[in-house]
Amino acid sequence: MISLQRHPLGPRVFVLGRRVHEYLLGFAVEAGLLAGLLAGLIHPGIAFWAIAAVGVWLIAKDWQDLVPRRRDTASWSVGLHRRKQSLRESRRSDGLAQVAALATFAVALVNIGSALTPAIPWRLRLLLHVEPVAALPIFQAAALPTGIALAIVAFYLLRRRRRALHAALVLLVVAGAVDLVKGLDFEEAALGWAVAGLLWWGRGAFYVQHERLRRGSVLWRVPLVAVGAAAVAAASVWAATAPHRAPVTIGREMVALLTWSRGPMAFQELFAWVPLAVGAASVASVLVVAYLFFRPLAVPRTLPDEEARRTALDLVRAHGTDTLSFFKLRADTHYFFSADRLAFVGYRIESGVLLISGDPVGRPDAFGGLLRDVCGFAELRGLKVGAVGAGEVLLPLYEQAGLRALYIGDEAVVDTRSFSLEGRAVRKVRQSVNRLTSAGYGASLLRFEELDESTRAELDRVSEVWRRGEPERGFSMAMDSLEGDHQADGAIVVARDPQGTIRGFLHFVPSYGRPAMSLSFMRRDPETPNGLTEFLVVAAIALLRDRGIEELSLNFAAMARLL
């Protein structure tokens, strides 16, 4: 008895109560082919290799079930099975988008090729019995722009745009009808309608939403682009034609050029470029219209208000034990709070990626729901999700959200109680400290409440000469400035030259709930002696140790395990 079971990870087949994995079916296919080949019942051919490829595909896509330890850890997919993502919404045919986009693009190419090749004579004669001769060129001309539009829509299907799904369904149905009335092309029509059926069946895979069509947005931009393209075509045709041409002829030629079809006019010598130029303008206008029409939901552009910043600061002070937690309070960071506002992440959107700054901050039991909401927020807007500065503790949670870990380095943490300048390992650091001490440099610890206007001006001057006109950088491991009341718990270690002028400084931010601080940024005057930064780090360790700090994070050591 064969039965099919619905399961959150995908359909499961049982034969006589025993589960049949896809890799078992793949091995059975390959074994059957091999046995038939050895027995002389099968001869290698196109069908043989096609079936063999299907068997290999079944094994490859289900390879994780071959290993008992990895069995039932991946969800069903048309291609390779995907890892289980419990923090992502599970949808029917979630992996269909790539296949549907490829199939739609193939239909587009078929329609474009059909439009550029002559119809089969016997079909054309049969069609003329039910259709006027004058209608044939119109339908043949419509096939090419329909194919081009389908090719453009396929690109947005790949990006899972909901509106692209609707457009593709309409275009595929229309393209099939055009194929029939322009040359009785049953094969092309059947292919297009089959792909339309596939899209409708897997419509849940296209979940990226769009802004509502309002009068102030795309509804006036689209006609403007269309009118602009028509104006360019009309001006080009009018300039390239003789004065006695009738306006109707010019209009027909303009429409023909915009639809990449042959019109009543011919362009010679100096104006031979007109058809290509007008056709390129029409394609460009279609691309612009497609971009405007298929844009996803807008991402937040307004930075958090004061209330959101206060909530984030309270969460950092209550739960910010991680040395990167404080950096989420940068002024240029967006916030995403859990539904109960017991946890949040800081993020920035760059090049279609929602990039999370470090780990979430807040109550650990709220992290799962928070990351699920972040993933849902990103999916609706067509964004990918990434995290920079993620810790090992939360890696399983990130994997459940569909992320993969990429090692880029470790956090360099100094135990201030055991740090010493003795020994060969720190010989170069010891030499730098001795060099700066001999040159008359000294270091001191400043609290933010001790910063007067003249001291702030000196710190700003050092920052300016250090950056050399470059903007302030940083994201998950540095603050963006020394401004703000939230900086009150931080500290600054400054280096002064023999004249008492500040020539460099280190900025540290707190890690709450533990005697630790984290380095935010380092600044020094480029004209100071070599080793000033090492001198400042050693001085900071001693000064902060006296203040009760036991751990000092110097933040990031790139590829430390490998080097």
Side-chain angles (χ1 to χ4, degrees):
M1 180 178 177
I2 301 176
S3 61
L4 183 66
Q5 180 192 68
R6 298 187 66 179
H7 189 274
L9 295 180
R12 293 181 171 180
V13 178
F14 290 83
V15 178
L16 299 177
R18 189 175 182 84
R19 184 178 170 196
V20 178
H21 292 273
E22 289 165 84
Y23 73 83
L24 292 174
L25 182 59
F27 281 129
V29 169
E30 299 299 333
L33 289 176
L34 181 60
L37 192 63
L38 294 176
L41 301 176
I42 300 176
H43 300 283
I46 296 177
F48 174 87
W49 292 113
I51 296 173
V54 170
V56 171
W57 170 70
L58 287 169
I59 297 170
K61 77 192 296 286
D62 200 33
W63 71 269
Q64 296 187 73
D65 281 350
L66 281 164
V67 185
R69 181 175 58 86
R70 300 184 66 93
R71 191 163 293 166
D72 297 331
T73 60
S75 58
W76 198 90
S77 177
V78 175
L80 294 178
H81 288 344
R82 295 176 292 116
R83 292 175 303 153
K84 183 179 179 181
Q85 301 174 3
S86 58
L87 296 182
R88 295 269 188 169
E89 183 180 347
S90 179
R91 302 175 178 89
R92 183 181 70 178
S93 303
D94 205 24
L96 182 70
Q98 295 86 348
V99 175
L102 185 62
T104 303
F105 189 74
V107 172
L109 293 181
V110 168
N111 276 271
I112 291 173
S114 177
L116 298 176
T117 54
I120 298 174
W122 71 266
R123 292 184 179 182
L124 195 59
R125 288 193 297 270
L126 184 62
L127 191 62
L128 288 175
H129 289 289
V130 295
E131 185 177 315
V133 176
L136 285 176
I138 297 175
F139 293 122
Q140 289 172 347
L144 184 59
T146 303
I148 293 174
L150 270 175
I152 294 171
V153 169
F155 171 77
Y156 292 100
L157 285 176
L158 189 62
R159 297 188 167 199
R160 301 178 182 272
R161 304 289 168 84
R162 190 74 174 172
R163 218 172 260 167
L165 168 69
H166 300 154
L169 289 171
V170 172
L171 286 171
L172 287 167
V173 172
V174 170
V178 169
D179 287 331
L180 289 178
V181 297
K182 79 175 181 64
L184 291 182
D185 296 325
F186 301 107
E187 302 87 352
E188 288 93 330
L191 177 63
W193 291 341
V195 173
L198 177 69
L199 285 173
W200 179 253
W201 178 80
R203 58 192 179 278
F206 303 92
Y207 46 72
V208 178
Q209 300 293 332
H210 307 266
E211 298 288 352
R212 292 182 61 185
L213 295 176
R214 294 186 176 89
R215 196 164 16 178
S217 58
V218 70
L219 287 184
W220 68 266
R221 291 190 178 97
V222 168
L224 186 64
V225 172
V227 169
V232 169
S236 301
V237 174
W238 180 81
T241 57
H244 62 273
R245 289 284 187 181
V248 174
T249 305
I250 294 176
R252 288 174 56 194
E253 182 64 30
M254 179 190 74
V255 173
L257 293 180
L258 287 172
T259 56
W260 284 70
S261 55
R262 186 180 299 277
M265 297 169 53
F267 297 90
Q268 303 293 333
E269 299 176 353
L270 294 178
F271 297 105
W273 55 269
V274 170
L276 182 60
V278 175
S282 69
V283 172
S285 65
V286 171
L287 291 175
V288 172
V289 169
Y291 170 76
L292 294 172
F293 191 71
F294 297 128
R295 281 187 304 176
L297 284 172
V299 299
R301 301 190 181 278
T302 305
L303 290 169
D305 56 21
E306 288 302 318
E307 181 183 356
R309 293 196 178 280
R310 281 194 300 270
T311 303
L313 178 58
D314 291 342
L315 287 171
V316 168
R317 285 176 173 167
H319 303 279
T321 57
D322 181 52
T323 53
L324 299 184
S325 296
F326 196 88
F327 298 124
K328 294 172 179 58
L329 303 178
R330 289 174 58 104
D332 57 357
T333 298
H334 291 274
Y335 298 146
F336 195 103
F337 292 93
S338 62
D340 51 15
R341 297 184 82 82
L342 294 178
F344 82 103
V345 294
Y347 73 92
R348 189 182 297 171
I349 295 175
E350 297 287 347
S351 302
V353 179
L354 189 153
L355 201 58
I356 298 173
S357 171
D359 290 331
V361 177
R363 282 179 43 175
D365 58 354
F367 289 172
L370 173 61
L371 286 180
R372 181 182 292 107
D373 292 343
V374 169
C375 291
F377 173 86
E379 284 183 346
L380 290 180
R381 289 159 178 79
L383 302 172
K384 298 184 183 299
V385 178
V388 176
E392 284 185 293
V393 175
L394 292 184
L395 283 185
L397 204 61
Y398 287 122
E399 289 176 352
Q400 292 174 34
L403 277 67
R404 286 183 169 82
L406 176 64
Y407 173 74
I408 57 175
D410 289 284
E411 188 176 20
V413 179
V414 177
D415 186 339
T416 62
R417 296 164 297 180
S418 60
F419 177 79
S420 171
L421 282 176
E422 300 300 324
R424 183 173 180 81
V426 291
R427 178 172 56 89
K428 292 185 178 181
V429 177
R430 185 170 60 247
Q431 291 174 348
S432 297
V433 172
N434 292 335
R435 184 187 312 115
L436 270 296
T437 302
S438 300
Y441 278 77
S444 60
L445 178 66
L446 301 179
R447 299 176 182 271
F448 271 83
E449 59 266 23
E450 300 171 349
L451 298 180
D452 54 26
E453 290 298 325
S454 61
T455 304
R456 286 184 179 274
E458 286 192 82
L459 296 175
D460 290 340
R461 179 192 61 80
V462 173
S463 291
E464 288 295 329
V465 297
W466 171 252
R467 294 202 310 266
R468 297 179 181 177
E470 293 293 324
E472 195 70 67
R473 301 187 187 279
F475 174 50
S476 63
M477 302 178 187
M479 292 301 290
D480 54 332
S481 73
L482 298 175
E483 303 298 327
D485 295 337
H486 60 286
Q487 302 265 24
D489 297 326
I492 299 175
V493 176
V494 299
R496 299 180 186 270
D497 63 14
Q499 289 73 40
T501 303
I502 295 177
R503 304 297 297 277
F505 68 92
L506 304 181
H507 175 224
F508 294 91
V509 298
S511 296
Y512 293 98
R514 56 187 284 206
M517 296 196 83
S518 184
L519 176 64
S520 171
F521 49 69
M522 304 177 290
R523 298 286 185 266
R524 71 176 182 87
D525 189 329
E527 297 183 359
T528 54
N530 290 335
L532 181 65
T533 300
E534 290 87 343
F535 170 80
L536 273 169
V537 170
V538 172
I541 292 172
L543 291 168
L544 292 172
R545 178 177 57 213
D546 295 340
R547 188 177 166 181
I549 301 300
E550 298 176 2
E551 292 179 301
L552 194 62
S553 170
L554 301 181
N555 268 335
F556 190 60
M559 301 297 174
R561 297 179 197 174
L562 304 179
L563 300 178

